[in-house]
Amino acid sequence: SNNNNNGGNNAFDISKPTFDLFSFRLIRSDALLRYNNLNQSEPLRINLFILATITLLGYPLWCESVTGDVATTTSLIGSTVSGVGSAALFWRERTRRSNQLNRMEKELNAERLEVRIPVNTAISSARPMARLKDLRSKRRILAIRGSKEQLSGSVFNT
């Protein structure tokens, strides 16, 4: 067995990047898993649109061998217009998927950020550190803002 990852322990890293064919880039596996669980019909629509595009734009190539007739000008124009429309729908769905995956990936990356938890100064002046992931079920972080210089560090003061 191959035990040279993670210092010899058999830990599986769900955040390891995976190539996404529709986005044409590496995406965190946990973001892809979350997307696939939430949007089960979108990958099907994307696949159907690309299949329709290839079929319709390839109509002149396969028409005679399948139907036995030569493609007419009307059928060529119709298949080309339909193919371009299907390609536009494919691109729209692919772009939506890519944007949604990008947002999910940013949310998952933000979970590693550390924040100082505000406390009542009358009780204690020490402000404990916590990762956003640890606060998932306790407090909600609505927004983090600041200049590029303020946000460049991994520790944020609230």
Side-chain angles (χ1 to χ4, degrees):
S1 74
N2 188 359
N3 289 336
N4 58 3
N5 294 345
N6 297 323
N9 63 9
N10 286 327
F12 179 74
D13 184 14
I14 188 87
S15 65
K16 180 181 173 187
T18 303
F19 183 76
D20 181 53
L21 187 61
F22 293 125
S23 299
F24 304 115
R25 68 181 185 92
L26 291 174
I27 297 197
R28 285 178 56 146
S29 296
D30 48 352
L32 200 53
L33 180 66
R34 182 184 288 182
Y35 172 84
N36 287 333
N37 286 336
L38 293 174
N39 305 297
Q40 295 178 357
S41 65
E42 286 182 7
L44 177 63
R45 277 198 309 269
I46 292 170
N47 285 323
L48 288 175
F49 286 139
I50 192 67
L51 181 64
T53 300
I54 292 168
T55 302
L56 290 166
L57 292 179
Y59 175 74
L61 300 174
W62 58 261
C63 175
E64 188 175 352
S65 62
V66 173
T67 64
D69 296 328
V70 177
T72 63
T73 305
T74 307
S75 64
L76 288 176
I77 291 171
S79 69
T80 302
V81 169
S82 299
V84 169
S86 185
L89 290 171
F90 162 76
W91 194 258
R92 183 190 71 184
E93 292 296 321
R94 189 210 69 80
T95 303
R96 284 182 182 171
R97 171 189 170 94
S98 185
N99 290 341
Q100 207 169 5
L101 280 168
N102 193 26
R103 180 185 54 80
M104 287 179 179
E105 199 170 30
K106 285 179 182 178
E107 289 173 0
L108 290 168
N109 286 336
E111 289 181 343
R112 292 185 299 209
L113 295 175
E114 293 181 345
V115 294
R116 291 191 188 272
I117 301 174
V119 294
N120 186 343
T121 54
I123 298 171
S124 170
S125 62
R127 297 176 68 184
M129 297 289 289
R131 291 187 178 267
L132 290 180
K133 185 176 185 176
D134 299 334
L135 300 176
R136 185 180 290 166
S137 63
K138 298 174 185 149
R139 298 177 184 209
R140 296 290 181 209
I141 305 298
L142 300 178
I144 298 175
R145 70 176 208 124
S147 67
K148 185 175 181 179
E149 292 78 27
Q150 290 171 327
L151 298 177
S152 65
S154 63
V155 178
F156 298 100
N157 293 322
T158 57

